[in-house]
Amino acid sequence: MHTPDRRSFLLAAGAATLVTAVSGHGFFAQAFAADTPTGPFALPDLPYKPDALEPHIDATTMGLHHGKHHQAYVTNLNKALADHGELAKLPLEDLIAKLDEVPESVRTAVRNNGGGHANHSMFWQVMGPPGGEGPEGDLKTAIDSDLGGLEKLQTDFNAAGGKVFGSGWVFVTVDKDGKLALVSKPNQDTPIMEGKRVLFGNDVWEHAYYLKYQNKRPDYLKAWWNVVNWKAVGERYTAAKAGTLKI
């Protein structure tokens, strides 16, 4: 039998081990998702370490945003579809594009959580460590012709994001001909629900920025451009024109 001092030592050591594991790359999702139910949808890994977007997006926000908030959308979507096997077999983009065909009893849950899963899955992919190049090639041409150039896009995008009342997103959409458009959506709605495709977008829910920026959403929107991964956005643009862009 352990003495009280021995037990205290073991508990402290175990807690330290857990903190170390959770703070490592890829372990946020594992730690938070350990007791979540399984289902057809899963939390994607971050394509970089949680601190890779510093100083513009802090590691704590990234860890909680990905491992807690996004995981909750995945978990709740799987729960909503637990008794709807045929719907659960659909690709995510098809599921949320066909909300009118989803039973009313779970439609709101699928809308909110399916939209949250889609939006965040896109979000992680279009960001990367600061210092990358700007838009190039066909993407730059499209931004210049459809959105008035990068500087005007950033100004209009930030203004749209600042005007979202409460929680929501601001997106740039792309059609099959490669034409771009700017749109904002409330909550976890996504242009995919209207049959459109998202080129990239920014999350303006408070959980995306409040720990670092508090109520200064405009500061967050301005800083966010430093972590846009234009190479990834360019690849999404090419896929959209080829008809292969999904989420």
Side-chain angles (χ1 to χ4, degrees):
M1 182 174 181
H2 295 300
T3 65
D5 287 345
R6 177 63 172 169
R7 287 198 300 270
S8 298
F9 173 79
L10 291 173
L11 288 171
T17 300
L18 178 60
V19 169
T20 300
V22 170
S23 64
H25 175 43
F27 285 92
F28 277 107
Q30 294 177 27
F32 292 139
D35 296 323
T36 58
T38 58
F41 299 104
L43 181 72
D45 291 334
L46 283 177
Y48 33 74
K49 294 181 179 180
D51 64 355
L53 308 186
E54 294 269 14
H56 309 290
I57 302 179
D58 58 286
T60 301
T61 294
M62 286 297 297
L64 292 171
H65 197 173
H66 176 258
K68 278 288 194 180
H69 291 281
H70 190 174
Q71 178 64 67
Y73 295 124
V74 174
T75 299
N76 290 328
L77 179 60
N78 285 332
K79 285 181 178 178
L81 297 175
D83 297 323
H84 301 275
E86 290 305 310
L87 290 176
K89 295 177 183 177
L90 292 175
L92 180 58
E93 62 272 14
D94 292 346
L95 175 66
I96 57 180
K98 298 178 180 179
L99 280 174
D100 290 344
E101 300 175 25
V102 173
E104 188 174 355
S105 61
V106 296
R107 189 178 302 153
T108 297
V110 171
R111 181 186 196 114
N112 292 339
N113 295 291
H117 183 25
N119 286 337
H120 287 86
S121 296
M122 171 276 301
F123 190 52
W124 314 130
Q125 294 298 324
V126 301
M127 295 190 295
E133 299 295 330
E136 298 178 342
D138 289 346
L139 174 61
K140 182 181 185 303
T141 299
I143 290 174
D144 289 346
S145 62
D146 299 337
L147 301 173
L150 180 59
E151 185 175 347
K152 187 174 188 304
L153 163 61
Q154 291 173 328
T155 298
D156 294 346
F157 188 99
N158 292 352
K163 291 176 182 176
V164 172
F165 183 76
S167 301
W169 289 74
V170 57
F171 301 99
V172 170
T173 60
V174 55
D175 67 18
K176 63 182 180 180
D177 296 321
K179 187 172 180 59
L180 306 180
L182 180 64
V183 62
S184 59
K185 293 291 179 183
N187 303 316
Q188 291 296 349
D189 283 3
T190 165
I192 297 172
M193 295 170 180
E194 302 167 353
K196 300 176 182 178
R197 284 290 175 261
V198 174
L199 180 61
F200 66 90
N202 192 5
D203 187 348
V204 296
W205 283 62
E206 286 188 343
H207 64 235
Y209 63 87
Y210 206 84
L211 290 179
K212 182 175 179 66
Y213 296 94
Q214 289 83 47
N215 62 319
K216 301 173 184 176
R217 187 192 289 178
D219 290 353
Y220 159 71
L221 285 161
K222 182 178 179 180
W224 181 75
W225 292 99
N226 291 290
V227 298
V228 173
N229 182 342
W230 287 111
K231 182 176 184 296
V233 175
E235 290 170 352
R236 290 177 64 84
Y237 184 70
T238 298
K241 293 196 297 180
T244 58
L245 181 63
K246 302 299 181 183
I247 295 303

